[in-house]
Amino acid sequence: VLNSPQSVTLGYDALANNVLYVLEVSLGGTSNFQPLMTLNGGSDNFTIDDPALFDFNSNFYCYRIVTVDPCTNTNAEISNVVCSIQIVDITPQNLAFDLIWNTVLLPNIDFTINRSSSVGTLNLPNITTLSFTDNNQIICGVDYTYIIQSDDGLATSTSLPFTETAISTDIPPPIDNLSVSADGNAIEVTWAEPAGFMVDDYNVLRGTSNSNVSFLTTVPAPPFTDQTAN
């Protein structure tokens, strides 16, 4: 589990006592493992927080635990490999996000994308590639946070969160079906908000004819009451 851009917590089955265990790490793949530190017997997790060692925003790392024969100083047993997940980019598109991440495609691995926002949560499981386009009920203007988890049947891994704001290139339809009611010098104007759009503001224009209108004010939502009509 990644805790921050420089911190990771590794969980594992409790280690036996009186055995020399070494945690190994490989940058960007599984071909160049190097000893990182020894692990104590009896432990079942370890947290490393060191900006000199890790930058999980820019890279991904693979880990394994080996038992070392103290007589020959060689690896006796090697654990399965687990790799961190680096979210490379999440690019907003029209009511969608293009997600790209990086890790090792270990045998039998699949990914689950966990999405959260002010309008709810969504889990997208059974993804087997390193990219995905999320166009599931995206609302313009909402901030969406993504966390990617992997599972290969032997180990799980969880990315750092990544947040982006949804955009839309769709043009909202014109406002129609205006309803107007008068109460003395006050005039109330109401209208139906366009379906499928999150509108920040409405500009209200006023005039004595269609050819003689000017900006009056901005309102966040209907209705609007004009107290200055005469």
Side-chain angles (χ1 to χ4, degrees), residues 148-171:
I148 300 174
Q149 294 180 310
S150 68
D151 188 345
D152 67 352
L154 296 172
T156 61
S157 182
T158 303
S159 75
L160 292 172
F162 197 116
T163 301
E164 278 288 355
T165 303
I167 64 171
S168 173
T169 57
D170 294 339
I171 300 174

Side-chain angles (χ1 to χ4, degrees), residues 22-165:
V22 175
L23 174 64
E24 296 186 335
V25 62
S26 178
L27 171 63
T30 58
S31 61
N32 188 31
F33 279 100
Q34 301 294 324
L36 184 60
M37 61 186 62
T38 58
L39 298 174
N40 296 323
S43 68
D44 61 4
N45 70 87
F46 193 82
T47 297
I48 310 170
D49 190 337
D50 191 341
L53 288 175
F54 302 124
D55 180 2
F56 293 109
N57 283 332
S58 302
N59 300 293
F60 73 92
Y61 304 80
C62 295
Y63 304 89
R64 68 184 185 185
I65 297 174
V66 301
T67 59
V68 178
D69 185 333
C71 296
T72 62
N73 198 34
T74 58
N75 293 345
E77 299 289 341
I78 301 175
S79 74
N80 61 292
V81 173
V82 61
C83 300
S84 64
I85 301 171
Q86 173 204 1
I87 297 182
V88 177
D89 195 22
I90 297 180
T91 304
Q93 303 292 348
N94 182 34
L95 299 179
F97 291 99
D98 289 338
L99 291 81
I100 300 174
W101 60 95
N102 210 359
T103 189
V104 173
L105 288 175
L106 297 168
N108 303 314
I109 196 169
D110 63 26
F111 302 94
T112 297
I113 296 175
N114 300 306
R115 189 186 83 187
S116 61
S117 70
S118 60
V119 296
T121 60
L122 180 66
N123 295 328
L124 302 166
N126 304 320
I127 299 168
T128 57
T129 59
L130 297 176
S131 62
F132 184 80
T133 296
D134 178 17
N135 56 6
N136 293 273
Q137 299 177 327
I138 301 293
I139 299 175
C140 179
V142 173
D143 290 337
Y144 291 89
T145 298
Y146 289 88
I147 294 175
I148 300 174
Q149 294 180 310
S150 68
D151 188 345
D152 67 352
L154 296 172
T156 61
S157 182
T158 303
S159 75
L160 292 172
F162 197 116
T163 301
E164 278 288 355
T165 303

Side-chain angles (χ1 to χ4, degrees), residues 13-27:
D13 293 338
L15 302 179
N17 293 308
N18 303 316
V19 177
L20 177 59
Y21 295 96
V22 175
L23 174 64
E24 296 186 335
V25 62
S26 178
L27 171 63

